[in-house]
Amino acid sequence: MTVITKPFEQQEAKKEIQELTELIVKEFSTYTPYQRYFLFGDNEIIKHKGQLTKEQITELIKDNKAFTSCLLRYLRARDFKVEKAHQLLKGTLQWLEEFKPYKLRSTQMSSDTDSLSGKIYVHGFDKWNRPLVRMNPSKQKDFNSELQIKTTVYALQSAINRMEDPNLGQLSWFVDFEGFQMKHSPSLSVCKSVIDILLNHFVERLGYCIVVNAPKAFHWLWSLLSPFIPSVTKEKVKICWSSDKEEQLKFLKQFIDLKYVDKKFCDESEFEFNHEEIWNEDEELDNKRVEKLKKFGVVFE
């Protein structure tokens, strides 16, 4: 698995990590079990229901790689400004309890029309072993704004569910615009909501966003959305403007192993979207995730 925590970065940011840790420790008693899981990963500290002293908390989270990696992601997103990183992290912790993404299950999502059509789902990995969130915008069938956002968040959670450690990994997007027309476009408010969630609550998660078959309409959509996207994120967006299949395959080979490339791009691949197979895998992973979280006191009712 690709680990985004860099040893030299961790050493250089030692002071900032310590300062942010102290802020988190002060607020520890206010966190819900899932907020603790988000911060600390599979750590015994999540199970503690009574009051803990500052010293006890510090000892329990000592050498916790998941926690350090989480802090680094938020520090990196705010140029290592501790207070700004703290506010960003607090916003995510609040969002986790308001949106409750951990409660989204494959059994809820698999029967909606976008899931059935293959508009968005998770399958395979890029060349850096990052899970691939695959999107086919032309297969947009349902224009319910709330459902569109939930489906996207579930896909992100599903990708993280495939990581060895939820706090140490990144994911990549593979977007195929084949057949896309303006009628398939989500509303601008949905686009902005999704971008806000990606930037503020899935912080530093993006490996690459790989785009093929981008239509003319994409230029218009990109011009509308790009002002809301930081330059460092825009650099991770890789677009193949060619409609030639050989050029597209050459482009995709840079980022994805052939076994994860759709069969229509490559005869060597056997992969084609199969709703039952995809969602059966998600259900199996969901069940394992839910059972683990229940042991840590996370409530799903």
Side-chain angles (χ1 to χ4, degrees), residues 99 101 104-106 109 112 115 119-123 131-135 147-163 171-173 194 198 202 278-279 282 285-286:
F99 194 98
L104 297 176
R105 303 281 298 275
S106 60
M109 311 303 297
D112 76 73
S115 299
K119 183 242 177 177
I120 185 169
Y121 61 97
V122 180
H123 175 74
L132 280 174
V133 178
R134 311 172 84 106
M135 179 178 278
L147 183 60
Q148 286 179 312
I149 294 169
K150 281 187 175 181
T151 303
T152 303
V153 170
Y154 177 77
L156 293 165
Q157 288 291 119
S158 179
I160 292 172
N161 205 21
R162 287 163 165 78
M163 298 175 186
L171 55 87
S172 286
W173 288 77
V194 169
L198 287 170
F202 289 86
I278 294 295
W279 289 96
D282 272 325
L285 290 169
D286 273 354

Side-chain angles (χ1 to χ4, degrees), residues 64-77:
N64 185 317
K65 292 181 180 179
F67 179 54
T68 301
S69 181
C70 180
L71 298 190
L72 274 171
R73 286 194 291 111
Y74 281 80
L75 284 166
R76 196 183 299 124

Side-chain angles (χ1 to χ4, degrees), residues 47-94:
K47 297 180 180 180
H48 284 271
K49 297 180 180 179
Q51 290 293 320
L52 294 172
T53 66
K54 177 182 176 181
E55 290 72 22
Q56 287 174 317
I57 298 170
T58 302
E59 180 62 27
L60 283 167
I61 64 176
K62 184 175 64 175
D63 300 323
N64 185 317
K65 292 181 180 179
F67 179 54
T68 301
S69 181
C70 180
L71 298 190
L72 274 171
R73 286 194 291 111
Y74 281 80
L75 284 166
R76 196 183 299 124
R78 289 297 178 264
D79 297 321
F80 291 88
K81 302 293 190 296
V82 175
E83 186 52 41
K84 289 184 177 181
H86 182 223
Q87 291 304 315
L88 181 62
L89 182 51
K90 284 178 68 174
T92 295
L93 294 173
Q94 181 179 347

